[in-house]
Amino acid sequence: MSDQPAAADAPSNPGPGESSQPAEPSKSALKKAQKDKEKAEKKAAIKARELAERQKKEAADAADVSKDSYGELPLCGSKDFKPTGTPRANLSASDAADNEDKEITFRCWVENARVQSAKLAFLNLRQGLDTVQAVVAASEKLSKQMVKFSGNVSTESTLVVTGLVKRVKEPIKSASIKDFEIHITKLFVEVAAEVPLPLQVEDAERPLPSEGVGEEEEKQDESSGRPLVTLNTRLNNRTIDLRAKINHAIFVIKSGVCTLFQEFLSQKGFLLVQTPKILGAASEGGANVFELKYFDRPAYLAQSPQFFKQMLIAARFQKVMEIGPVFRAENSNTARHLTEFTGLDLEMEFQEHYHEVMAVLEDLMLFIFKELNARFKKETDLVRSAYHVDEFKLPESGKVPRIPFKEGIAMLREAGEELNDYDDLSTPQEKHLGRLVLAKHGSDFYTLDQFPLAIRPAYTMPSPSDPLLSNSYDMFMRGQEICSGAQRIHNAALLAQQMRTHDPPINPNGPGTKDYVDSFRYGCPPHAGGGFGLERIVQFWLGLPNIRMTSLFPRDPQRVVP
């Protein structure tokens, strides 16, 4: 066979009018080719750079002396894990002193982290109400990579830290533990916090604007120049807001009040009880109650445990106490009202006069106040450092000022207030009277006795000295009511009569009241009691501008979430 190409593959001769030269590429084709070339070169350069960086990182990681001493831990519970058994330490000034020059391991979270240089980072770490400064310093045993990682941990991340406790030459102003710092040797992120936070915890540490400032109005903090975050913003991000040390202190104190309430009354022979909060009928007049659907019929949330406390006295329980929720459907948008709050209630029989019960209530509160000063001074001082309030002035036991209502009216008239003998006091008038009592008696706590009968509940015993007055009393802190109480009517006939003539009238044979009235038909001793608002006690003790600060997740006419 011939090795020559076939005739079909041979170039043909150009025809008439045709050029024998190949066509030149167009300018657009040349531009496209140039762009494609540049793209390919850039892509190759990026790949080369990424490869170089990866190789550099791998080399650095291989040379990282701290590679096993820092990083992010897997989500707890997501993988099989054998506990290390390493003891965990507490952060406090006393624990730090006990562990001086020792290595400790502890869980904490980050208040602040910053890289000072390639070889040095500082962190402020918190556990509970205590904070400590921590140092991460590069050395032969600690890498620059660990310094960089530690200084860039996001605020509020949860850490497990190991380090040496070292005494410092100068007190550290930015931490509660002032004489010691932690020299970190290991740092692991247990749970990283997402950024940005919806609310800075640092902002939640600043005091709220005083009462009267609009909820939506942003004010400037003169000391820091930062905006004061409104209460609504804080409550809308409550889990972040509650991380503030000042808020932790508020609820430590609130828990303390409950503990002290039970402690004192238990020693006096009171029995802790739990009464129903779902009622089949609207009791106590039927006003200001929340209605709910209970299977196929309506029911109501309890306004108080009042009827049940009294029925227990009739059932031969001599002294009862309760700590429980109270629901009031009052459209009161004030700094001291909630629609759901915690009631500290008690009821007891007395021997001869209802002032026996008043004395127990007064001594109860004096005990709570004195023990708050003794047991919760640290938390009290922390809150009051932000909300500057005068020290709470206490009388001695048995010397609590007891102001007859008529005398209180006379004091207010003398000070320029205009009101009648049997008028109820407004909030400003209550506060005014509180200032007058403080000036006259030197006490921030006092009792107002013998209130007008017309402004008290239907079960209140009328006063023998004046049919328009009653054997009832309120107790006040800094001029604001914290407790309402009275001698109760323990005779069924008199109780029914008072209910019918009450404004508005109450049917003693109606649902929700008949069982209550009937319980006094079979012999019930004279008794009295009172109900305290837990949140108000905490608010007025600490001088807080708004009662919502004392409720973990407050409920008011405008708020039912979170």
Side-chain angles (χ1 to χ4, degrees):
M1 293 180 63
S2 170
D3 292 329
Q4 295 297 320
D9 296 328
S12 58
N13 293 325
E18 292 182 357
S19 172
S20 62
Q21 298 298 320
E24 288 288 333
S26 66
K27 286 184 179 181
S28 60
L30 288 172
K31 276 187 177 183
K32 183 176 183 307
Q34 183 63 25
K35 283 184 179 180
D36 290 343
K37 181 182 178 184
E38 289 174 356
K39 283 183 181 179
E41 288 173 350
K42 283 183 180 179
K43 197 171 183 180
I46 291 171
K47 283 186 176 181
R49 189 162 58 249
E50 288 176 349
L51 178 61
E53 288 176 357
R54 187 163 59 249
Q55 289 172 340
K56 183 179 178 181
K57 185 179 182 302
E58 288 172 354
D61 289 345
D64 186 352
V65 295
S66 303
K67 62 182 178 181
D68 296 325
S69 298
Y70 70 97
E72 293 195 12
L73 297 175
L75 186 66
C76 183
S78 65
K79 293 185 178 181
D80 287 338
F81 174 73
K82 185 177 180 180
T84 63
T86 304
R88 298 293 180 91
N90 292 321
L91 281 184
S92 70
S94 59
D95 287 325
D98 291 341
N99 289 306
E100 185 174 355
D101 294 325
K102 296 178 183 177
E103 187 175 76
I104 62 171
T105 298
F106 57 95
R107 173 182 283 150
C108 58
W109 68 90
V110 181
E111 277 200 333
N112 184 38
R114 67 187 189 278
V115 175
Q116 191 77 3
S117 69
K119 293 186 176 182
L120 186 65
F122 288 96
L123 298 92
N124 273 19
L125 305 177
R126 178 179 163 192
Q127 186 187 84
L129 293 178
D130 292 296
T131 56
V132 67
Q133 178 175 279
V135 180
V136 188
S139 65
E140 292 182 357
K141 296 181 179 180
L142 196 148
S143 67
K144 289 182 182 179
Q145 294 96 316
M146 182 171 171
V147 172
K148 183 178 179 180
F149 177 86
S150 301
N152 285 287
V153 174
S154 58
T155 301
E156 292 300 305
S157 291
T158 304
L159 308 181
V160 178
V161 169
T162 300
L164 289 167
V165 180
K166 290 292 185 180
R167 187 177 291 273
V168 294
K169 294 179 181 179
E170 297 290 334
I172 299 168
K173 296 180 180 179
S174 61
S176 66
I177 300 174
K178 300 188 178 301
D179 298 322
F180 298 91
E181 65 183 7
I182 305 295
H183 290 204
I184 290 178
T185 55
K186 294 181 181 179
L187 183 147
F188 292 97
V189 177
E190 198 168 33
V191 184
E194 294 183 11
V195 290
L197 295 169
L199 169 72
Q200 294 300 318
V201 177
E202 180 185 3
D203 290 335
E205 296 285 5
R206 276 182 262 278
L208 278 173
S210 59
E211 183 181 345
V213 175
E215 286 292 331
E216 299 303 329
E217 183 181 349
E218 289 282 0
K219 286 278 186 176
Q220 199 79 5
D221 184 353
E222 294 179 2
S223 62
S224 67
R226 294 174 63 97
L228 288 171
V229 181
T230 63
L231 181 59
N232 271 340
T233 299
R234 295 187 184 192
L235 296 180
N236 289 339
N237 300 281
R238 190 60 163 158
T239 53
I240 299 295
D241 180 49
L242 284 172
R243 293 184 180 188
K245 289 187 286 292
I246 192 170
N247 285 330
H248 275 236
I250 289 170
F251 291 99
V252 169
I253 290 166
K254 187 176 182 180
S255 173
V257 173
C258 293
T259 299
L260 296 170
F261 176 81
Q262 286 188 245
E263 183 179 321
F264 178 88
L265 293 179
S266 293
Q267 292 173 355
K268 296 287 184 181
F270 281 75
L271 181 70
L272 182 67
V273 298
Q274 296 80 34
T275 60
K277 304 306 169 205
I278 300 177
L279 308 181
S283 58
E284 300 189 48
N288 301 326
V289 294
F290 288 110
E291 183 176 336
L292 56 91
K293 184 177 180 182
Y294 191 74
F295 299 103
D296 59 347
R297 57 195 183 278
Y300 305 87
L301 294 177
Q303 291 173 275
S304 80
Q306 185 57 48
F307 284 9
F308 297 104
K309 288 191 303 177
Q310 291 185 251
M311 291 165 76
L312 288 172
I313 299 297
R316 304 296 189 241
F317 289 83
Q318 292 178 305
K319 300 176 181 180
V320 295
M321 61 175 166
E322 179 172 12
I323 300 176
V326 175
F327 303 92
R328 299 279 172 86
E330 297 175 357
N331 194 15
S332 297
N333 296 278
T334 76
R336 66 174 195 167
H337 283 91
L338 294 168
T339 54
E340 179 184 351
F341 62 91
T342 305
L344 304 177
D345 277 272
L346 63 88
E347 203 77 18
M348 62 177 282
E349 67 175 63
F350 60 82
Q351 299 304 314
E352 297 180 314
H353 198 277
Y354 76 95
H355 280 187
E356 297 168 28
V357 181
M358 280 175 55
V360 172
L361 292 168
E362 290 166 350
D363 282 348
L364 163 66
M365 292 312 300
L366 290 182
F367 173 79
I368 289 174
F369 296 146
K370 289 176 180 177
E371 292 304 311
L372 285 175
N373 274 331
R375 303 187 202 181
F376 301 96
K377 187 177 186 307
K378 175 182 176 182
E379 291 81 5
T380 297
D381 288 347
L382 174 61
V383 179
R384 288 182 181 171
S385 68
Y387 296 95
H388 305 290
V389 64
D390 292 336
E391 194 73 21
F392 195 85
K393 292 180 175 58
L394 292 173
E396 296 178 12
S397 177
K399 295 185 178 180
V400 174
R402 291 183 183 175
I403 315 294
F405 187 84
K406 283 188 174 181
E407 182 182 324
I409 293 289
M411 291 172 66
L412 286 169
R413 279 185 186 146
E414 189 176 337
E417 296 281 354
E418 294 184 6
L419 67 169
N420 297 319
D421 287 348
Y422 302 101
D423 285 349
D424 199 2
L425 300 182
S426 66
T427 298
Q429 288 169 340
E430 286 181 356
K431 292 180 179 180
H432 191 178
L433 183 58
R435 293 191 293 272
L436 296 174
V437 172
L438 177 61
K440 183 176 180 178
H441 298 280
S443 175
D444 276 313
F445 174 61
Y446 70 94
T447 302
L448 201 58
D449 190 21
Q450 290 279 302
F451 272 75
L453 183 63
I455 62 175
R456 305 302 277 199
Y459 48 74
T460 306
M461 181 67 76
S463 172
S465 63
D466 184 339
L468 295 180
L469 298 179
S470 64
N471 292 351
S472 63
Y473 42 86
D474 281 359
M475 294 183 178
F476 295 82
M477 290 175 65
R478 302 188 194 274
Q480 301 202 64
E481 178 207 333
I482 58 163
C483 171
S484 183
Q487 178 184 352
R488 327 298 187 180
I489 297 174
H490 57 288
N491 175 274
L494 178 58
L495 177 59
Q497 175 188 323
Q498 291 297 110
M499 293 174 78
R500 290 190 182 98
T501 58
H502 191 261
D503 183 18
I506 302 171
N507 180 4
N509 295 313
T513 55
K514 185 177 186 305
D515 291 334
Y516 165 67
V517 175
D518 286 348
S519 68
F520 302 112
R521 298 187 188 282
Y522 315 111
C524 178
H527 58 279
F532 294 88
L534 172 60
E535 287 79 6
R536 285 192 181 182
I537 293 173
V538 176
Q539 179 187 6
F540 303 146
W541 173 254
L542 295 172
L544 299 174
N546 199 299
I547 197 169
R548 289 158 185 78
M549 299 176 67
T550 68
S551 177
L552 287 170
F553 300 97
R555 296 291 178 257
D556 62 31
Q558 311 303 323
R559 180 175 292 277
V560 289
V561 294

